[in-house]
Amino acid sequence: MNKRTETRENIHFRLLCLLDENPEMSQRDLAREVGISTGSANSFLRELIESGAVKREKFGTSNDRRRYTYLVTSKGKAEKTSSAQNVLARKVKDFEALRDEIIVIASKLKNITN
């Protein structure tokens, strides 16, 4: 999996987690939480809606056409679970590489100071 695909999966995962907890979050708030632009949040949400992972509904009785509720579907929950496993596997791999690098640096530092 290339970095771009990993980044996309990470963003989808974070959006699905946020929406599962708070379906009324605005695109602006989602963008802020994930660390992306509002335009990017809109694009990623559109991808999730088109894939069937998220369903968009009008927010309550609001007359504001910009307000929606984003509901995570059963397909979205399955994607969130799969993404969580992939993200965790990548984080563990990153952690192990960092741990190995720390061991090497600590060993070199020990040799310098002795």
Side-chain angles (χ1 to χ4, degrees), residues 1-10 90 93-94:
M1 184 177 290
N2 65 38
K3 288 290 182 189
R4 186 175 181 164
T5 303
E6 287 178 11
T7 299
R8 174 169 254 93
E9 183 177 46
N10 286 343
R90 282 194 302 274
K93 184 178 173 185
D94 292 346

Side-chain angles (χ1 to χ4, degrees), residues 1-2 5-10 12-13 78-94:
M1 184 177 290
N2 65 38
T5 303
E6 287 178 11
T7 299
R8 174 169 254 93
E9 183 177 46
N10 286 343
H12 281 188
F13 173 67
E79 181 178 331
K80 186 174 91 166
T81 299
S82 174
S83 292
Q85 292 168 339
N86 293 338
V87 168
L88 179 60
R90 282 194 302 274
K91 296 294 183 187
V92 167
K93 184 178 173 185
D94 292 346

Side-chain angles (χ1 to χ4, degrees), residues 67-86:
R67 294 294 299 162
Y68 293 99
T69 298
Y70 298 97
L71 304 172
V72 178
T73 64
S74 57
K75 183 176 181 178
K77 290 182 188 292
E79 181 178 331
K80 186 174 91 166
T81 299
S82 174
S83 292
Q85 292 168 339
N86 293 338

Side-chain angles (χ1 to χ4, degrees), residues 11 14-15 18-19 22-50 54-59 64-71:
I11 291 171
R14 293 185 67 197
L15 288 171
L18 289 166
L19 290 173
N22 187 359
E24 294 87 23
M25 280 186 88
S26 69
Q27 289 184 16
R28 180 169 296 163
D29 291 339
L30 287 166
R32 188 178 317 113
E33 287 291 322
V34 176
I36 57 178
S37 71
T38 303
S40 292
N42 180 284
S43 295
F44 284 114
L45 280 170
R46 190 175 309 118
E47 288 175 8
L48 291 169
I49 291 166
E50 289 173 1
V54 171
K55 183 178 176 185
R56 182 176 69 181
E57 294 183 350
K58 190 174 176 183
F59 184 74
D64 186 351
R65 294 184 332 171
R66 297 171 296 171
R67 294 294 299 162
Y68 293 99
T69 298
Y70 298 97
L71 304 172

